[in-house]
Amino acid sequence: MSLICSLSNEVPEQPVLSPVSGCIYEKRLIIKYLHEVSTDPINGQPLTEEQLIDVKVTPLGKPKPPSATSIPAILKMLQDEWDGTMLHSFTLRQQLQTARQELSHVMYQHDAACRVIARLNKEVTAAREALATLKPQAGINQSIPTQFANDQPMQTSYHGTTADISQTSAAEGMTDEIIQKLQDKASVLTQLRKQRGKRVPEGLTTVDEMRNFRCSATHTALHSAGTPGILALDISPKNPSIILTGGNDRQAVVFNRDSEQVVATLKGHQKKVTHVIHHFDEEIAITGSADSSIRVWHIPSAQCLKVLKAHDTPITGLSLHPTGDYVLSSASDTLWALSDLRTGKLITKVQDTTSQKGLTCAQFHPDGIIFGVGTQESVIKIWDLKECNNVADFPGHAGGINTIAFSENGYYLATAAEDASIKLWDLRKLKNFKTITLEDRYEIRDLVFDQSGMYLGVAGTDVRVYQAKQWDLLKVFNDHTALATGIRFGSNANYLASSSMDRSLKFYEQLTQE
């Protein structure tokens, strides 16, 4: 059995034993090593030259003492080079092991740092996009509408804004004055509808033009990228360039389509904003949230004017009465309520005793005397507002009702549920006269008729437009990368807007050919 040097892996000429590690070394190699380090090269414990133990073996033949000009001198030089190489190789092996351990630790740190940097880059990008479309909210101290300013004293609300908070209280009831106001408005609207008759509004987008609609603009910086998703959408009837959106980030945003700038950001809700309405004539926004509150906002100042607490559970439906003074709301607690927009007071609150699982949506008829609510039991219920009575039921869907929409002509009601179908109802005959069955697993989140009643918009798995009366499919838009949650028509259906869970607001119109 040959002895092997632990440093050079060669048979030593003068083997010595280290009492510290028990390893064999070439004496001249270990002495050179100890002159530099003074520790055992194997285990790193202190070691001196005096501690080395000579091992008696049969001596090897040694060449004669070299001279400067002899071959043995060259061999001696080569031997010294070899020894240095062996010592250096051993040191490199030790350093390699240490470097591997350090590298492993650094790689873990690098991975964590990359994750943090990626998140920060995403937030910075979102902030820059928001800044690019942000319009300085000049005139923040503009006067608040007198009908709100002359009410009760303002109280401090969330996030430092001021709002008159209307706590949940007993309903005041439908007074004769309110009923007369509702009836007078309904009579005026009915008369106007008869005057319009069957004439097509001047400037209305034609069917052929609707078929040529394309996506003309996309905006993704309106809401936070941290909690993506736009859940609600509305367009100002008075100024169709003003868009109102509500998002998962608990904010509502007012956006100017023409200038492509954010006009106001409405902050105050504690949970996601699920419903938004822009007032017909005034710069007022109404928002409903999963925090069970309804807020009334003054858009130019971005101030909350009223907080309506008509419900104790998340808001599932929101609709503004044609008078512009009352707001209808539904919640998952099977209750619907009518509140005064000006005073913030609760007028009436009625429980649907036949519904056990809660209401899913609510919408006023264009005349404002009746309204519809959807239920989780697959039934649409029509209520008389003056008498607060359930006057008709429309069964036939499977699954909870997702959305309903009345046509401007006052005769048609469109409904959608979780059964991937759209049903059209004749309110004069109280029956379903048309069912549009969509693809399997198609989700429908929003329905809307345009102001003329000529087109029906659908938002869900995709965005699509149907021609009313014939109910032919005119156009399908697949531009969103996630579920579409809202759809609205511009004035005379000259453009279409849609919102989505992909955080984008998209506009569609007929593009001019250059």
Side-chain angles (χ1 to χ4, degrees):
M1 177 178 177
S2 301
L3 299 178
I4 301 298
C5 174
S6 298
L7 289 176
S8 64
N9 290 328
E10 300 288 345
V11 177
E13 296 179 357
Q14 291 181 310
V16 292
L17 175 66
S18 170
V20 175
S21 62
C23 296
I24 297 295
Y25 299 100
E26 176 66 59
K27 187 173 183 178
R28 53 186 169 77
L29 282 180
I30 190 62
I31 290 175
K32 290 181 181 179
Y33 182 87
L34 292 178
H35 286 166
E36 296 178 3
V37 182
S38 298
T39 59
D40 189 281
I42 299 301
N43 57 17
Q45 294 185 9
L47 179 65
T48 63
E49 184 178 349
E50 289 75 20
Q51 290 180 281
L52 297 175
I53 302 172
D54 291 328
V55 179
K56 295 182 182 285
V57 294
T58 302
L60 298 175
K62 301 172 75 174
K64 295 181 179 181
S67 62
T69 58
S70 64
I71 292 178
I74 298 175
L75 294 176
K76 179 64 171 62
M77 292 172 59
L78 294 176
Q79 184 67 59
D80 291 340
E81 290 291 335
W82 172 259
D83 293 343
T85 302
M86 289 298 102
L87 291 174
H88 184 63
S89 174
F90 180 76
T91 303
L92 289 178
R93 289 200 299 270
Q94 285 188 319
Q95 292 176 348
L96 175 62
Q97 181 63 25
T98 303
R100 283 177 174 172
Q101 295 176 350
E102 293 176 351
L103 179 61
S104 176
H105 182 65
V106 169
M107 288 182 66
Y108 280 112
Q109 291 181 327
H110 178 267
D111 182 65
C114 287
R115 293 176 184 273
V116 173
I117 292 171
R119 178 175 59 83
L120 292 177
N121 284 338
K122 185 177 181 181
E123 293 177 357
V124 168
T125 301
R128 286 176 175 171
E129 291 177 353
L131 184 60
T133 58
L134 182 62
K135 176 181 179 181
Q137 295 183 15
I140 192 72
N141 295 321
Q142 295 181 26
S143 59
I144 294 175
T146 55
Q147 59 266 42
F148 293 96
N150 294 332
D151 288 336
Q152 302 173 1
M154 308 298 273
Q155 301 179 14
T156 301
S157 180
Y158 301 110
H159 297 286
T161 59
T162 56
D164 182 9
I165 303 177
S166 175
Q167 299 295 335
T168 304
S169 58
E172 295 186 348
M174 297 288 290
T175 64
D176 293 339
E177 180 183 357
I178 294 176
I179 293 176
Q180 186 61 45
K181 187 176 181 179
L182 300 179
Q183 188 62 53
D184 292 345
K185 186 64 176 179
S187 299
V188 171
L189 293 175
T190 302
Q191 187 64 29
L192 290 175
R193 186 176 295 109
K194 290 181 179 179
Q195 292 176 3
R196 289 195 300 266
K198 298 182 180 180
R199 290 182 293 107
V200 177
E202 184 178 355
L204 180 68
T205 297
T206 65
V207 171
D208 291 336
E209 290 173 339
M210 182 65 69
R211 287 194 175 102
N212 291 327
F213 269 29
R214 299 289 186 274
C215 182
S216 60
T218 300
H219 302 278
T220 59
L222 303 185
H223 290 268
S224 171
T227 51
I230 301 178
L231 304 178
L233 171 68
D234 198 21
I235 296 177
S236 169
K238 185 177 181 180
N239 184 1
S241 65
I242 299 299
I243 315 297
L244 177 62
T245 62
N248 257 328
D249 58 357
R250 303 177 293 180
Q251 299 178 8
V253 174
V254 184
F255 180 76
N256 189 311
R257 175 174 176 260
D258 293 339
S259 64
E260 298 188 344
Q261 291 182 326
V262 173
V263 176
T265 300
L266 312 178
K267 300 180 181 180
H269 282 294
Q270 301 302 294
K271 294 183 180 180
K272 59 186 178 181
V273 178
T274 54
H275 298 81
V276 295
I277 299 175
H278 195 292
H279 198 279
F280 308 134
D281 302 315
E282 305 173 35
E283 291 183 312
I284 298 295
I286 307 148
T287 59
S289 168
D291 63 9
S292 76
S293 71
I294 301 168
R295 288 177 175 261
V296 183
W297 306 85
H298 181 233
I299 292 176
S301 64
Q303 286 188 341
C304 181
L305 304 176
K306 301 286 181 183
V307 180
L308 312 180
K309 293 291 293 182
H311 301 277
D312 297 321
T313 55
I315 304 298
T316 59
L318 202 63
S319 183
L320 183 62
H321 191 269
T323 59
D325 295 330
Y326 309 107
V327 61
L328 170 70
S329 58
S330 64
S332 56
D333 55 6
T334 72
L335 293 166
W336 63 262
L338 184 71
S339 303
D340 192 315
L341 196 66
R342 311 298 179 180
T343 64
K345 295 180 180 180
L346 179 63
I347 297 175
T348 185
K349 188 174 181 179
V350 178
Q351 182 173 16
D352 184 357
T353 56
T354 62
S355 179
Q356 303 298 323
K357 297 181 181 179
L359 307 181
T360 58
C361 54
Q363 184 69 46
F364 270 120
H365 183 272
D367 290 343
I369 291 297
I370 63 173
F371 64 90
V373 296
T375 68
Q376 294 186 19
E377 284 90 353
S378 313
V379 178
I380 301 95
K381 297 178 178 291
I382 306 299
W383 289 76
D384 184 299
L385 183 58
K386 296 186 298 182
E387 303 295 333
C388 296
N389 289 333
N390 180 199
V391 295
D393 289 345
F394 293 150
H397 278 292
I401 305 299
N402 291 335
T403 179
I404 64 175
F406 287 97
S407 173
E408 179 59 29
N409 63 18
Y411 301 145
Y412 298 146
L413 170 66
T415 62
E418 296 174 355
D419 55 4
S421 69
I422 302 172
K423 290 185 178 292
L424 285 307
W425 308 84
D426 191 322
L427 297 176
R428 296 164 295 184
K429 300 178 181 179
L430 299 180
K431 69 175 185 179
N432 171 228
F433 66 90
K434 177 70 175 181
T435 298
I436 302 174
T437 303
L438 303 177
E439 297 84 356
D440 188 28
R441 296 183 179 179
Y442 189 100
E443 294 186 51
I444 305 173
R445 289 298 181 89
D446 197 19
L447 294 174
V448 68
F449 284 94
D450 76 304
Q451 292 87 342
S452 68
M454 294 291 292
Y455 301 107
L456 172 64
V458 182
T461 303
D462 54 33
V463 175
R464 54 181 62 192
V465 178
Y466 289 88
Q467 182 182 9
K469 297 183 180 180
Q470 290 82 8
W471 310 112
D472 294 331
L473 179 61
L474 300 180
K475 188 68 177 179
V476 177
F477 305 95
N478 293 299
D479 300 271
H480 285 295
T481 58
L483 193 66
T485 56
I487 181 172
R488 290 293 184 272
F489 289 94
S491 177
N492 287 327
N494 57 6
Y495 80 90
L496 188 68
S498 67
S499 60
S500 169
M501 292 302 294
D502 63 7
R503 202 168 62 95
S504 70
L505 170 66
K506 292 183 180 292
F507 297 106
Y508 311 87
E509 59 188 323
Q510 186 178 20
L511 302 179
T512 57
Q513 296 181 355
E514 298 181 358

